[in-house]
Amino acid sequence: MRILILGATGMVGQGVLRETLLAKDVSEAVVLGRTPIEKSDDKLKEIIHGNLFDLTDIESQLENLDACFFCLGVSSYGMSEADYARITYDLTLSVAKTLLRLNPMMTFVYVSGAGTDSTERGKSMWARVKGKTENALLALPFKAVYLFRPGIIQPLHGVKSKTKAYRLLYPILWPFIVIARPLMPGVILTTVNVGLAMLNAARHGEGDRVLESKDIYQLSR
Protein backbone atom coordinates (compact mmCIF):
# COMPACT_ATOMS: atom_id res chain seq x y z
CA MET A 1 0.00 0.00 0.00
CA ARG A 2 0.95 3.61 -0.55
CA ILE A 3 -0.33 5.74 2.33
CA LEU A 4 -0.59 9.54 2.52
CA ILE A 5 -0.36 11.10 5.99
CA LEU A 6 -1.19 14.69 6.88
CA GLY A 7 -0.46 16.02 10.35
CA ALA A 8 2.56 13.79 10.92
CA THR A 9 4.13 16.30 13.34
CA GLY A 10 1.21 16.05 15.79
CA MET A 11 0.83 13.45 18.51
CA VAL A 12 -1.61 11.21 16.63
CA GLY A 13 0.22 11.71 13.35
CA GLN A 14 3.58 10.76 14.85
CA GLY A 15 2.14 7.52 16.19
CA VAL A 16 0.34 6.72 12.94
CA LEU A 17 3.49 7.35 10.91
CA ARG A 18 5.50 5.02 13.14
CA GLU A 19 3.04 2.15 12.69
CA THR A 20 2.77 2.83 8.96
CA LEU A 21 6.52 2.60 8.47
CA LEU A 22 6.61 -0.65 10.47
CA ALA A 23 3.83 -2.28 8.43
CA LYS A 24 5.16 -4.92 6.06
CA ASP A 25 2.43 -4.33 3.49
CA VAL A 26 3.17 -0.61 3.18
CA SER A 27 5.55 0.14 0.34
CA GLU A 28 5.63 3.91 0.85
CA ALA A 29 4.47 6.41 3.45
CA VAL A 30 4.01 9.82 1.86
CA VAL A 31 4.00 12.66 4.40
CA LEU A 32 2.54 15.95 3.25
CA GLY A 33 3.00 19.05 5.38
CA ARG A 34 4.24 22.59 5.65
CA THR A 35 7.31 21.77 7.74
CA PRO A 36 9.82 18.89 7.71
CA ILE A 37 9.58 16.00 10.16
CA GLU A 38 12.57 14.71 12.10
CA LYS A 39 12.55 11.18 10.75
CA SER A 40 14.22 9.19 7.99
CA ASP A 41 13.26 5.79 6.60
CA ASP A 42 13.59 3.96 3.30
CA LYS A 43 9.79 3.87 3.01
CA LEU A 44 9.33 7.55 3.79
CA LYS A 45 8.67 10.18 1.13
CA GLU A 46 8.27 13.72 2.39
CA ILE A 47 6.50 16.49 0.48
CA ILE A 48 6.95 19.99 1.90
CA HIS A 49 4.28 22.30 0.54
CA GLY A 50 3.49 25.73 1.93
CA ASN A 51 -0.13 26.07 0.79
CA LEU A 52 -2.21 22.99 1.52
CA PHE A 53 -5.29 24.73 0.11
CA ASP A 54 -3.75 24.52 -3.36
CA LEU A 55 -2.08 21.23 -4.27
CA THR A 56 -1.95 21.87 -8.01
CA ASP A 57 1.86 21.89 -8.24
CA ILE A 58 2.24 18.54 -6.46
CA GLU A 59 -0.74 16.60 -7.82
CA SER A 60 1.51 14.23 -9.77
CA GLN A 61 3.01 13.10 -6.43
CA LEU A 62 -0.41 12.40 -4.95
CA GLU A 63 -1.60 9.77 -7.43
CA ASN A 64 -1.81 5.99 -6.98
CA LEU A 65 -2.48 6.24 -3.25
CA ASP A 66 -4.44 3.56 -1.42
CA ALA A 67 -5.38 5.58 1.66
CA CYS A 68 -5.10 8.96 3.33
CA PHE A 69 -4.67 9.26 7.11
CA PHE A 70 -5.79 12.82 7.84
CA CYS A 71 -4.41 13.61 11.31
CA LEU A 72 -4.08 17.36 10.79
CA GLY A 73 -5.93 19.55 13.26
CA VAL A 74 -5.77 22.45 15.66
CA SER A 75 -7.15 23.19 19.10
CA SER A 76 -10.21 25.45 19.08
CA TYR A 77 -9.03 27.25 22.23
CA GLY A 78 -8.97 31.00 21.67
CA MET A 79 -10.15 30.72 18.05
CA SER A 80 -13.24 32.20 16.45
CA GLU A 81 -15.62 29.77 14.78
CA ALA A 82 -14.70 31.18 11.37
CA ASP A 83 -10.96 30.68 11.91
CA TYR A 84 -11.44 27.21 13.38
CA ALA A 85 -13.74 26.20 10.51
CA ARG A 86 -11.22 27.39 7.93
CA ILE A 87 -8.65 24.87 9.17
CA THR A 88 -10.97 22.10 10.33
CA TYR A 89 -13.61 22.18 7.59
CA ASP A 90 -12.36 24.19 4.61
CA LEU A 91 -8.84 22.74 4.51
CA THR A 92 -9.95 19.16 5.12
CA LEU A 93 -12.56 19.27 2.35
CA SER A 94 -10.20 21.02 -0.05
CA VAL A 95 -7.58 18.31 0.38
CA ALA A 96 -10.15 15.49 0.34
CA LYS A 97 -11.74 16.63 -2.92
CA THR A 98 -8.37 16.85 -4.65
CA LEU A 99 -7.38 13.39 -3.43
CA LEU A 100 -10.74 11.94 -4.50
CA ARG A 101 -10.27 13.26 -8.03
CA LEU A 102 -6.78 11.75 -8.21
CA ASN A 103 -7.56 8.51 -6.32
CA PRO A 104 -11.26 7.56 -6.63
CA MET A 105 -10.67 4.16 -4.96
CA MET A 106 -8.95 5.65 -1.92
CA THR A 107 -9.90 5.00 1.71
CA PHE A 108 -10.03 8.29 3.64
CA VAL A 109 -9.46 8.13 7.42
CA TYR A 110 -10.18 11.33 9.35
CA VAL A 111 -9.28 12.02 12.98
CA SER A 112 -12.23 13.78 14.55
CA GLY A 113 -12.81 13.59 18.31
CA ALA A 114 -15.01 12.19 21.08
CA GLY A 115 -18.09 14.36 21.48
CA THR A 116 -18.33 15.43 17.85
CA ASP A 117 -21.82 16.77 17.05
CA SER A 118 -23.24 15.13 13.93
CA THR A 119 -26.35 17.30 14.12
CA GLU A 120 -24.21 20.45 13.69
CA ARG A 121 -26.59 22.27 16.04
CA GLY A 122 -25.11 21.81 19.52
CA LYS A 123 -23.69 24.47 21.83
CA SER A 124 -20.06 23.38 21.47
CA MET A 125 -18.43 25.25 18.59
CA TRP A 126 -15.66 22.73 17.92
CA ALA A 127 -18.10 19.81 18.02
CA ARG A 128 -20.40 21.49 15.50
CA VAL A 129 -17.54 22.21 13.10
CA LYS A 130 -16.16 18.68 13.45
CA GLY A 131 -19.66 17.30 12.83
CA LYS A 132 -20.06 19.42 9.71
CA THR A 133 -16.67 18.17 8.49
CA GLU A 134 -17.59 14.53 9.15
CA ASN A 135 -20.91 14.89 7.33
CA ALA A 136 -19.27 16.49 4.30
CA LEU A 137 -16.65 13.73 4.11
CA LEU A 138 -19.33 11.05 4.27
CA ALA A 139 -20.99 12.66 1.24
CA LEU A 140 -17.86 12.18 -0.88
CA PRO A 141 -17.75 8.97 -2.97
CA PHE A 142 -14.49 7.51 -1.66
CA LYS A 143 -14.12 3.74 -1.53
CA ALA A 144 -14.52 4.14 2.23
CA VAL A 145 -14.56 6.95 4.80
CA TYR A 146 -13.58 6.23 8.41
CA LEU A 147 -14.22 8.89 11.04
CA PHE A 148 -12.13 8.28 14.16
CA ARG A 149 -13.45 9.79 17.41
CA PRO A 150 -10.79 9.02 20.02
CA GLY A 151 -10.94 10.39 23.55
CA ILE A 152 -7.91 9.89 25.80
CA ILE A 153 -4.81 8.74 23.92
CA GLN A 154 -1.62 7.59 25.64
CA PRO A 155 1.46 8.52 23.56
CA LEU A 156 4.03 5.72 23.30
CA HIS A 157 7.51 5.24 21.81
CA GLY A 158 8.65 8.83 22.29
CA VAL A 159 5.61 10.42 20.68
CA LYS A 160 4.89 13.91 22.04
CA SER A 161 2.02 16.35 21.63
CA LYS A 162 2.61 19.73 19.98
CA THR A 163 -0.04 21.31 22.22
CA LYS A 164 1.60 22.91 25.26
CA ALA A 165 -1.35 22.20 27.58
CA TYR A 166 -1.23 18.50 26.72
CA ARG A 167 2.52 18.36 27.24
CA LEU A 168 2.00 19.78 30.74
CA LEU A 169 -0.94 17.52 31.56
CA TYR A 170 0.44 14.19 30.40
CA PRO A 171 3.17 13.90 33.07
CA ILE A 172 0.54 14.60 35.72
CA LEU A 173 -1.98 12.14 34.32
CA TRP A 174 0.57 9.50 33.31
CA PRO A 175 0.31 7.34 36.48
CA PHE A 176 -3.48 7.24 36.16
CA ILE A 177 -3.32 6.41 32.44
CA VAL A 178 -0.80 3.61 32.95
CA ILE A 179 -2.97 2.02 35.65
CA ALA A 180 -6.35 2.65 34.00
CA ARG A 181 -5.62 1.72 30.38
CA PRO A 182 -5.35 -2.08 30.91
CA LEU A 183 -8.63 -1.93 32.84
CA MET A 184 -10.36 0.22 30.19
CA PRO A 185 -8.71 -0.66 26.85
CA GLY A 186 -11.74 0.50 24.92
CA VAL A 187 -11.76 3.88 26.66
CA ILE A 188 -8.09 4.84 26.86
CA LEU A 189 -6.25 4.24 23.59
CA THR A 190 -2.57 4.41 22.69
CA THR A 191 -0.97 5.95 19.63
CA VAL A 192 -0.21 2.35 18.60
CA ASN A 193 -3.92 1.45 18.75
CA VAL A 194 -4.83 4.40 16.55
CA GLY A 195 -2.11 3.68 13.99
CA LEU A 196 -2.92 -0.03 13.73
CA ALA A 197 -6.64 0.71 13.41
CA MET A 198 -6.01 3.12 10.53
CA LEU A 199 -3.90 0.53 8.75
CA ASN A 200 -6.61 -2.09 9.16
CA ALA A 201 -9.15 0.37 7.77
CA ALA A 202 -6.94 0.83 4.71
CA ARG A 203 -6.49 -2.93 4.32
CA HIS A 204 -10.05 -4.09 4.70
CA GLY A 205 -12.34 -1.08 4.69
CA GLU A 206 -15.46 -0.74 2.60
CA GLY A 207 -18.31 1.67 3.10
CA ASP A 208 -18.40 4.41 5.73
CA ARG A 209 -17.92 4.09 9.47
CA VAL A 210 -17.93 6.34 12.55
CA LEU A 211 -15.63 4.85 15.19
CA GLU A 212 -15.69 5.78 18.86
CA SER A 213 -12.78 4.78 21.13
CA LYS A 214 -14.03 1.23 21.73
CA ASP A 215 -14.47 0.71 17.98
CA ILE A 216 -10.97 2.02 17.26
CA TYR A 217 -9.57 -0.38 19.85
CA GLN A 218 -11.38 -3.35 18.27
CA LEU A 219 -10.23 -2.38 14.78
CA SER A 220 -6.61 -2.22 16.01
CA ARG A 221 -6.63 -5.86 17.12
Side-chain angles (χ1 to χ4, degrees):
M1 296 186 295
R2 294 186 70 236
I3 307 291
L4 176 68
I5 302 174
L6 287 93
T9 59
M11 183 184 74
V12 172
Q14 291 172 50
V16 168
L17 175 58
R18 178 184 183 275
E19 300 309 314
T20 301
L21 292 173
L22 289 173
K24 293 181 180 179
D25 58 348
V26 172
S27 59
E28 189 172 49
V30 182
V31 171
L32 171 60
R34 299 184 184 92
T35 57
I37 59 173
E38 297 178 359
K39 184 178 282 290
S40 61
D41 190 281
D42 291 341
K43 290 184 181 182
L44 178 62
K45 176 181 179 180
E46 196 169 1
I47 303 174
I48 309 300
H49 189 68
N51 182 11
L52 297 181
F53 280 96
D54 185 359
L55 305 178
T56 305
D57 293 343
I58 59 170
E59 284 190 1
S60 62
Q61 301 180 67
L62 301 176
E63 297 175 333
N64 302 312
L65 295 165
D66 296 289
C68 173
F69 298 160
F70 198 99
C71 309
L72 181 65
V74 294
S75 169
S76 63
Y77 180 76
M79 296 185 73
S80 68
E81 183 164 351
D83 289 341
Y84 183 67
R86 175 168 169 75
I87 301 298
T88 302
Y89 178 85
D90 295 344
L91 179 58
T92 303
L93 268 294
S94 177
V95 171
K97 288 177 181 179
T98 297
L99 293 176
L100 176 62
R101 175 168 51 82
L102 299 173
N103 307 276
M105 292 304 294
M106 167 183 279
T107 294
F108 194 93
V109 183
Y110 176 69
V111 179
S112 186
T116 293
D117 177 16
S118 298
T119 72
E120 305 178 32
R121 296 191 298 270
K123 293 182 179 180
S124 174
M125 179 271 281
W126 76 264
R128 289 196 309 271
V129 175
K130 285 282 191 180
K132 181 180 178 181
T133 305
E134 286 189 352
N135 292 336
L137 289 173
L138 288 173
L140 297 178
F142 283 105
K143 174 187 175 184
V145 173
Y146 282 76
L147 305 170
F148 277 40
R149 293 180 174 182
I152 302 172
I153 302 176
Q154 179 185 4
L156 299 178
H157 305 294
V159 170
K160 294 181 180 180
S161 174
K162 290 177 64 178
T163 304
K164 184 177 180 181
Y166 292 165
R167 291 199 306 271
L168 295 174
L169 278 174
Y170 271 115
I172 299 171
L173 296 176
W174 192 264
F176 165 77
I177 293 174
V178 170
I179 294 170
R181 184 172 60 81
L183 303 175
M184 299 183 292
V187 177
I188 300 176
L189 301 172
T190 70
T191 47
V192 173
N193 291 142
V194 178
L196 292 178
M198 287 192 181
L199 287 164
N200 283 334
R203 291 177 181 120
H204 312 302
E206 292 184 1
D208 304 325
R209 293 184 62 186
V210 177
L211 290 90
E212 306 291 345
S213 288
K214 64 181 187 302
D215 306 309
I216 297 169
Y217 177 73
Q218 289 298 325
L219 187 58
S220 74
R221 296 171 64 80

